[in-house]
Amino acid sequence: MHNKSMSNENDPEVNKEVEAKGPQSMNERGAMRSRRPASEAFRKFIGSNWGPRDDSGVQRSEVADFLPARHQKLSRTFPADRLVIPAGGLKVRNNDCDYRFRAHSAFVHISGLGGEKEPDAVLVAEPVEEGGHEVVLYFKPRASRSSEEFYADSRYGEFWVGARPSLEEMETMTGLRCAHIDTLPDALAKDAGQVQLRVVREADSNITSMVDQVRKQAGLVHGEDARPLDEELTQELSEMRLCKDAYERDQIALAVNVTYQGFDEIIRSLPRAVGHRRGERVIEGAFGARAREEGNGLGYDTIAASGNHANTLHWIDNDGPVRPGDLVLVDAGVEVDSLYTADITRTLPVDGKFTEVQAQVYNAVLDACEAALEAANKPGCIFREIHEAAMEVIAQRLEEWGVLPVPASEALSASGQQHRRWMPHGTSHHLGLDVHDCAQARQEMYLDAKLEPGMVFTIEPGLYFRADDLAVPEHLRGIGVRIEDDIIVNDDGSVTRISEDIPRTVEDVEAWIARVQAEGK
Ligand code: GLY
Ligand code: MN
Ligand code: MN
């Protein structure tokens, strides 16, 4: 659709004009489809005669009450520094078409924003005299309808992409002080040299350069020398998300709930998937439709892996057939409007019944899930112990089946690890705004840390017997199983599977498929 609305490429007068000018620059060529009316009469007319704006939907958002506590955490770590947290900009997909905007998760967490109207916005946490910081949101507020942006800017203009909030509306929604993005350079340069600046470097290269310019002019550490300072900020922004507040817990529960609905859609789609040459895409589409209807979209690309494709861990081509008698492994999560995501895997028998050997592999993985959950439930559990508990079960089962070339005890030692041939990935990761949340946290805060109330993480063991794996008996080859649940640590230290309603035992999965498909008839 882009930029078609004002096209007059068939107008002979315009074409003559183009010819007369001679060769065009590459930039000019990009604008060829659309020639903007430039007459004063047009400008005057398009800026006039619009009805009043309806601001009745503008209200303080639920998350606004949770922001001060998040800001205080930042202040405790960096009491005197000016902290710069950009949302990031639009990314070009090709020519004048951009990818859908998704703000950097640190920006989302500190601002509570999650929409598509904040590309190029920047949060600045400014240290204040009485202690703590004032967090100010710099962004491009809505332009007036008499501005050229209104009708002519396909990236930001209201006529093209919808209205952004005004400064006042944004203040109402977030509870933050808001300022025009044009005032950002001065705000960054204020008291140059007296305040240390730190920036989330990877969020927006333009803002990183701007901050660096200020640091350089003020005689502060800059360029690569400032990287360690900036990385301390990124690390803190990651670590402060390790324990979710009440708002975040609700949002993740919602994401899991909608993801469950998406899996129902997957089950409904199975008969059509079986009849389609690219049945995996049918499954992917069924989930994606629900994700978009009920949430912002997908938290990550859906893995819909039937048969041997399940043994390609990040199979997102999803262009294979779905055959009766096979298992289909689906790893999918809905990202809700607040941008929190679920991360769920279920491995489903395409025709509704597990074969004996499929159930054998499935139950080994399920036992590993249970062992991991039990480990997590023990007081004082260290994050890495969850994986270790799952691996014990996996190694034991492989030993029982005569598949392991060494005893399980030897495989489980640091110098063994042979069982990892069949499960090369980790068992758990933190989950939240990012599917692999808190990825910049230090090891002592993540892998080596005790579980704390509010932590949300996955348990996702698997077994993957590739079709060409000569180290396993033939009957196991081509079977891949993963079961993934999302877990929360409660205030009393116990853990709960947030996804406990999504069936996962052999019997429950079979009954689930039968029920959903019967409902569809
Ligand atoms: N879906 C990615 C993961 O399970 O980590
Ligand atoms: Mn997953
Ligand atoms: Mn996962």
Side-chain angles (χ1 to χ4, degrees):
M1 77 90 204
H2 282 237
N3 292 358
K4 273 198 190 130
S5 60
M6 290 185 186
S7 167
N8 50 4
E9 64 223 299
N10 296 326
D11 181 337
E13 285 310 306
V14 170
N15 289 342
K16 249 189 259 160
E17 189 191 323
V18 169
E19 278 159 29
K21 272 192 178 165
Q24 292 172 303
S25 73
M26 285 298 167
N27 276 346
E28 281 174 320
R29 290 179 208 187
M32 265 191 298
R33 285 163 304 130
S34 171
R35 306 199 124 240
R36 190 183 308 150
S39 70
E40 197 43 44
F42 167 76
R43 282 167 186 265
K44 232 175 139 185
F45 187 51
I46 197 164
S48 69
N49 214 11
W50 301 106
R53 292 193 182 274
D54 176 12
D55 61 359
S56 57
V58 177
Q59 347 173 320
R60 184 174 167 88
S61 64
E62 194 189 336
V63 66
D65 292 340
F66 293 85
L67 299 180
R70 299 180 192 175
H71 300 167
Q72 278 159 22
K73 271 193 204 162
L74 258 189
S75 289
R76 278 198 290 275
T77 312
F78 305 106
D81 298 349
R82 179 173 295 151
L83 310 171
V84 183
I85 307 167
L90 290 164
K91 285 196 186 70
V92 173
R93 190 163 190 268
N94 48 48
N95 303 319
D96 57 351
C97 298
D98 297 317
Y99 286 101
R100 193 182 286 284
F101 177 69
R102 205 283 192 181
H104 192 285
S105 292
F107 174 90
V108 175
H109 191 240
I110 298 302
S111 68
L113 292 168
E116 294 177 27
K117 300 283 190 285
E118 299 94 35
D120 307 326
V122 180
L123 288 167
V124 178
E126 182 68 25
V128 290
E129 254 173 39
E130 56 273 28
H133 286 74
E134 183 189 30
V135 175
V136 184
L137 174 64
Y138 293 85
F139 77 105
K140 204 171 153 62
R142 183 173 63 231
S144 85
R145 284 136 158 180
S146 54
S147 68
E148 189 167 301
E149 179 192 297
F150 171 66
Y151 64 89
D153 188 333
S154 64
R155 250 189 156 179
Y156 297 99
E158 183 176 342
F159 220 115
W160 293 83
V161 294
R164 294 188 306 277
S166 66
L167 290 175
E168 297 73 27
E169 287 169 352
M170 191 65 112
E171 286 190 346
T172 302
M173 290 187 282
T174 60
L176 302 177
R177 183 157 79 76
C178 294
H180 197 292
I181 190 71
D182 290 351
T183 64
L184 178 69
D186 285 348
L188 293 181
K190 202 175 113 213
D191 306 327
Q194 290 165 47
V195 181
Q196 180 62 58
L197 280 85
R198 298 177 192 256
V199 60
V200 177
R201 289 172 95 93
E202 73 278 10
D204 186 330
S205 57
N206 292 331
I207 303 298
T208 304
S209 303
M210 197 188 282
V211 168
D212 222 40
Q213 206 50 36
V214 170
R215 292 195 285 214
K216 191 173 174 188
Q217 279 168 3
L220 295 166
V221 175
H222 61 277
E224 275 309 295
D225 293 341
R227 183 176 286 278
L229 287 174
D230 293 338
E231 288 184 350
E232 281 169 5
L233 173 60
T234 298
Q235 172 186 298
E236 173 60 19
L237 287 163
S238 206
E239 291 180 355
M240 63 188 281
R241 302 202 327 250
L242 282 162
C243 296
K244 274 62 181 173
D245 61 31
Y247 173 81
E248 297 180 287
R249 297 178 200 190
D250 281 354
Q251 292 301 308
I252 295 170
L254 175 65
V256 170
N257 195 290
V258 183
T259 297
Y260 185 8
Q261 296 174 27
F263 272 85
D264 278 347
E265 293 292 358
I266 287 169
I267 291 175
R268 268 179 220 118
S269 80
L270 282 176
R272 198 167 92 75
V274 167
H276 194 287
R277 73 187 191 292
R278 300 203 292 178
E280 291 173 344
R281 290 281 171 97
V282 173
I283 291 173
E284 177 190 330
F287 187 85
R290 185 55 81 107
R292 202 59 197 138
E293 282 163 31
E294 302 297 331
N296 184 52
L298 300 171
Y300 54 92
D301 286 327
T302 296
I303 296 170
S306 193
N308 189 47
H309 284 162
N311 298 312
T312 300
L313 296 177
H314 283 174
W315 177 256
I316 56 170
D317 291 357
N318 302 342
D319 59 358
V322 171
R323 297 195 178 91
D326 278 349
L327 296 176
V328 60
L329 182 160
V330 188
D331 184 341
V334 175
E335 178 183 88
V336 289
D337 291 339
S338 56
L339 306 189
Y340 288 84
T341 189
D343 181 11
I344 300 290
T345 307
R346 289 293 182 265
T347 306
L348 308 167
V350 172
D351 53 15
K353 289 271 175 224
F354 289 87
T355 66
E356 203 172 312
V357 64
Q358 287 168 350
Q360 174 194 333
V361 177
Y362 190 93
N363 280 325
V365 175
L366 187 59
D367 289 349
C369 291
E370 290 292 1
L373 191 67
E374 205 175 303
N377 237 332
K378 287 204 182 110
C381 172
I382 309 285
F383 193 83
R384 65 164 71 250
E385 292 170 354
I386 303 168
H387 173 68
E388 289 163 6
M391 286 309 92
E392 269 186 40
V393 173
I394 293 291
Q396 279 160 10
R397 292 295 180 283
L398 291 166
E399 181 185 53
E400 280 163 33
W401 300 341
V403 167
L404 261 189
V406 295
S409 55
E410 188 181 330
L412 288 164
S413 71
S415 57
Q417 299 295 305
Q418 291 85 344
H419 58 288
R420 298 297 299 278
R421 174 186 177 112
W422 298 288
M423 189 192 144
H425 60 77
T427 302
S428 294
H429 57 80
H430 279 265
L431 178 71
L433 284 168
D434 295 338
V435 63
H436 296 161
D437 211 35
C438 313
Q440 285 78 35
R442 287 164 293 174
Q443 180 166 330
E444 61 265 38
M445 300 294 288
Y446 196 125
L447 261 190
D448 295 341
K450 273 198 194 135
L451 297 190
E452 302 282 350
M455 285 184 171
V456 175
F457 56 88
T458 64
I459 290 182
E460 51 177 306
L463 273 172
Y464 309 93
F465 299 117
R466 299 170 65 94
D468 59 354
D469 189 343
L470 303 183
V472 297
E474 219 174 317
H475 67 279
L476 291 176
R477 292 180 204 160
I479 295 179
V481 171
R482 176 164 66 254
I483 305 170
E484 177 171 25
D485 280 299
D486 300 340
I487 315 294
I488 183 158
V489 184
N490 303 309
D491 288 336
D492 66 1
S494 66
V495 299
T496 300
R497 279 194 302 131
I498 308 168
S499 46
E500 64 190 357
D501 290 343
I502 310 179
R504 64 167 193 165
T505 65
V506 163
E507 298 72 29
D508 289 351
V509 168
E510 289 180 349
W512 179 27
I513 295 173
R515 173 176 55 77
V516 171
Q517 293 189 344
E519 281 166 10
K521 287 207 172 111

